[in-house]
Amino acid sequence: MTDIPDELIRLERTAEEERARLAGLTGEAYDEQRRRFCAASDAVHEAITARAEATATDPHEVEQAVRRAVRQTQEDPAVE
């Protein structure tokens, strides 16, 4: 699977950014950030499921393709 919509990549990046913001937080701040992360993660999973259904592809395959696409764009120095 090579055709990953930009929206899926954006959603995955957002979820990863929200996860990274958990570092060092405690108490109420951690709980609030965890809610943000969970909401972003849920949005990614919903979009992956919808894409898998629309393309008759295994959701795991779509998820892996999204993660590879995000990693590739993050490793590209021209992107930064």
Side-chain angles (χ1 to χ4, degrees), residues 16-26 29-30 33-34 37:
E16 281 302 306
E17 289 167 1
E18 295 296 345
R19 182 196 56 77
R21 289 184 182 117
L22 286 166
L25 297 178
T26 59
Y30 177 88
Q33 186 58 39
R34 175 102 173 121
F37 165 62

